[in-house]
């Protein structure tokens, strides 16, 4: 019973935090084991054996807490990557630059569980075909990244209003810079999409992650006007049948689809 309750609590915690706690627990346990082996038995484990021990323990804990498969790859390799970086003896400022870039590019991915992954021009063309015809519309891309979809649609549909919302500072800045010098440009906002009022838009496009879809659907049902469109690339809403499912050109091999719901 206690184990079930603990798992439920961890399921409500962002996976990155769970992964960090697993690392702390594993390293603490290994440090204790190494101390006991040396103090009691005068046995000192080599670095490769210690790393192997750590990899097995973190993998076990990662599986126990039902983290996604990529965590099962990253968690055991993290200490090995740290040892490798220390062996390279790179200048400290270089690590700071890499950290800063990753921080401003991915920002709160650990909390939102929505990593940066851009859509393609084939997806843009598919989305354009789904837009209401013969009238101006208001469109927003939530999690707009570098702004490719929004800029594409705005250029081809000048009578309509297009906007992108991005929470990470660096992608937002780059998308904003891409609008400079344009006579009529779309709007890019640096914000969490939860701050938007969905009733202001006729079409909402999302390329998020499975973890974000239940919250997106709840907000859409509450705020979107009747007849407006919610479009998602790749990720369906579990338990909610889409009104249309489209497979973009040349994406049939991997089965990635565009889902559309009419509110």
């Amino acid at each position: 019973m206690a184990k079930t309750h603990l798992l439920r609590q961890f399921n409500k915690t962002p996976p990155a935090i769970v992964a960090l706690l697993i690392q702390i627990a594993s390293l603490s346990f290994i440090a204790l084991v190494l101390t006991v082996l040396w103090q009691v038995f005068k046995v000192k484990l080599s670095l490769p054996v210690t790393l192997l021990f750590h990899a097995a323990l973190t993998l076990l804990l990662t599986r126990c807490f039902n983290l996604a498969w990529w965590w099962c790859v990253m968690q055991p390799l993290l200490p090995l990557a740290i040892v490798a970086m220390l062996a390279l003896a790179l200048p400290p400022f270089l690590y700071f630059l890499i950290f800063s870039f990753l921080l401003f590019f991915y920002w709160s991915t650990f909390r939102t569980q929505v990593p940066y992954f851009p859509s393609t021009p084939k997806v843009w063309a598919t989305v354009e075909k789904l837009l209401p015809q013969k009238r101006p519309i208001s469109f927003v891309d939530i999690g707009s990244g570098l702004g490719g979809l929004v800029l594409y649609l705005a250029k081809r549909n000048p009578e309509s209003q297009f906007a992108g919302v991005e929470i990470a500072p660096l992608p937002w800045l780059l998308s904003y810079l891409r609008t400079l010098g344009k006579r009529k440009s779309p709007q890019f906002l640096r914000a969490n999409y939860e701050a938007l009022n969905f009733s202001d838009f006729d079409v909402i496009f999302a390329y998020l992650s499975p973890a974000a879809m239940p919250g997106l659907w709840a907000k859409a049902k509450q705020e979107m006007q009747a007849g407006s469109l919610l479009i998602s690339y790749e990720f369906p809403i579990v338990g909610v049948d889409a009104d249309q499912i489209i497979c973009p050109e040349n994406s049939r091999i991997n089965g990635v689809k565009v889902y559309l719901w009419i509110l």
Side-chain angles (χ1 to χ4, degrees):
M1 192 72 173
K3 180 181 178 181
T4 302
H5 177 72
L6 182 62
L7 287 173
R8 287 177 180 172
Q9 289 300 113
F10 269 80
N11 286 336
K12 298 177 182 179
T13 306
I17 302 299
V18 177
L20 177 61
L21 294 175
I22 288 174
Q23 287 289 343
I24 293 173
S26 297
L27 291 173
S28 299
F29 180 74
I30 290 171
L32 176 62
V33 170
L34 292 177
T35 300
V36 170
L37 287 175
W38 176 249
Q39 294 293 335
V40 177
F41 303 104
K42 300 302 179 183
V43 173
K44 186 176 182 180
L45 297 183
S46 65
L47 181 59
V49 172
T50 302
L51 291 174
L52 184 61
F53 181 26
H54 174 272
L57 181 58
T58 52
L59 179 59
L60 175 62
L61 292 175
T62 301
R63 293 290 296 169
C64 286
F65 288 104
N66 297 318
L67 294 185
W69 67 266
W70 53 84
W71 287 109
C72 295
V73 176
M74 292 190 297
Q75 286 283 80
L77 292 179
L78 179 60
L80 181 61
I82 294 174
V83 171
M85 286 191 299
L86 292 174
L88 292 174
L90 297 175
F93 80 89
L94 184 59
Y95 293 113
F96 176 75
L97 291 178
I98 295 173
F99 171 78
S100 299
F101 173 80
L102 294 175
L103 173 65
F104 286 103
F105 199 88
Y106 291 99
W107 202 242
S108 60
T109 296
F110 75 94
R111 178 176 60 84
T112 63
Q113 302 181 55
V114 180
Y116 171 75
F117 198 81
S119 55
T120 65
K122 290 184 176 63
V123 176
W124 306 346
T126 300
V127 171
E128 184 181 18
K129 293 176 182 177
L130 297 175
L131 300 182
Q133 303 298 313
K134 300 180 181 180
R135 67 180 177 90
I137 63 166
S138 177
F139 175 102
V140 65
D141 178 3
I142 56 177
S144 54
L146 301 181
L149 170 64
V150 174
L151 291 166
Y152 171 86
L153 294 177
K155 182 179 179 180
R156 295 172 59 86
N157 302 270
E159 73 284 354
S160 296
Q161 300 293 322
F162 293 89
V165 175
E166 175 58 53
I167 195 172
L170 187 54
W172 165 80
L173 177 61
L174 294 175
S175 61
Y176 171 76
L177 292 176
R178 296 177 70 183
T179 67
L180 298 181
K182 298 182 182 296
R183 185 166 55 183
K184 183 182 178 182
S185 59
Q187 184 180 18
F188 287 101
L189 306 173
R190 198 186 83 77
N192 191 318
Y193 79 85
E194 294 176 355
L196 298 178
N197 186 341
F198 279 6
S199 65
D200 295 334
F201 304 98
D202 301 302
V203 182
I204 293 175
F205 175 82
Y207 184 17
L208 301 177
S209 76
M213 297 309 292
L216 173 64
W217 178 243
K219 183 174 175 64
K221 284 198 303 180
Q222 181 179 3
E223 298 180 0
M224 293 184 73
Q225 299 183 29
S228 55
L229 305 181
L230 175 63
I231 302 173
S232 171
Y233 176 52
E234 187 170 349
F235 305 113
I237 299 169
V238 177
V240 182
D241 293 332
D243 293 286
Q244 282 186 251
I245 302 177
I246 305 97
C247 196
E249 184 182 355
N250 296 334
S251 68
R252 296 182 182 276
I253 295 176
N254 56 25
V256 178
K257 299 177 178 66
V258 173
Y259 300 87
L260 180 144
W261 295 268
I262 303 174
L263 273 293

